Amino acid sequence: MLATAMVLGSSTVGAGLGLGLFGVLSIIRLRSNEIAQHEVAYYFAALALGLLAGLGAEVNPMIAGLMVLIIAALWVGDHPRLFQRYRQRTVTLDAAYLDDDALREHLEMLLKGRIVNLSVRSVDLVNDTTVVDVRYVQTGVRETVPA
């Protein structure tokens, strides 16, 4: 946002265009459960890079630096070593859990980890199933991450 706002502020196009484009991506994110958070980050970064490259008549050192900053932020934020023990899964359980504490306890035992965040996507009382998006930290598991 900083990089795009800096370029839009000094551009003759105006901030309305940039904010409108970001608004479109926000609406897409709100309307779709299938788009993951890291994918939204890539969409916003691609939009920012496109705006930075397309709004100016030339790519000056400030714009090039801002573009490198965006790419570096994506590289650091998506690096496997940053959250190497964190996992995210969509789990379908063969029981309908209405109690969040019991659900959390069952998932911690099943996944052998500490639950950081869970979101119940559906509970089917007829078929006795629960679908959960869960983010957890593996405990007691030592693993190596390729460089």
Side-chain angles (χ1 to χ4, degrees):
M1 284 298 292
L2 171 69
T4 308
M6 286 176 66
V7 172
L8 286 174
S10 63
S11 172
T12 59
V13 174
L17 172 69
L19 293 175
L21 290 172
F22 280 107
V24 168
L25 281 178
S26 296
I27 290 171
I28 291 170
R29 173 63 188 137
L30 291 174
R31 293 271 189 199
S32 175
N33 288 335
E34 301 302 319
I35 300 175
Q37 291 293 333
H38 69 280
E39 291 172 344
V40 173
Y42 281 112
Y43 288 144
F44 274 93
L47 177 61
L49 290 171
L51 286 171
L52 288 173
L55 285 179
E58 61 184 45
V59 178
N60 61 32
M62 181 190 78
I63 291 177
L66 291 171
M67 293 172 92
V68 168
L69 182 66
I70 291 170
I71 294 170
L74 285 175
W75 183 78
V76 168
D78 205 23
H79 198 278
R81 290 187 186 202
L82 185 61
F83 295 109
Q84 68 184 13
R85 290 180 45 206
Y86 282 74
R87 300 289 183 264
Q88 182 169 352
R89 302 279 186 265
T90 299
V91 180
T92 302
L93 300 169
D94 61 349
Y97 285 93
L98 298 176
D99 181 18
D100 287 344
D101 293 332
L103 175 61
R104 181 178 297 271
E105 192 174 304
H106 180 71
L107 286 169
E108 285 180 346
M109 180 194 66
L110 183 69
L111 298 171
K112 296 176 180 51
R114 180 179 54 85
I115 304 299
V116 176
N117 186 20
L118 65 88
S119 174
V120 177
R121 295 189 64 176
S122 69
V123 176
D124 187 347
L125 296 173
V126 174
N127 294 320
D128 202 27
T129 60
T130 305
V131 179
V132 181
D133 284 331
V134 61
R135 184 173 296 137
Y136 64 100
V137 178
Q138 289 183 322
T139 55
V141 177
R142 190 87 171 145
E143 62 181 77
T144 59
V145 175

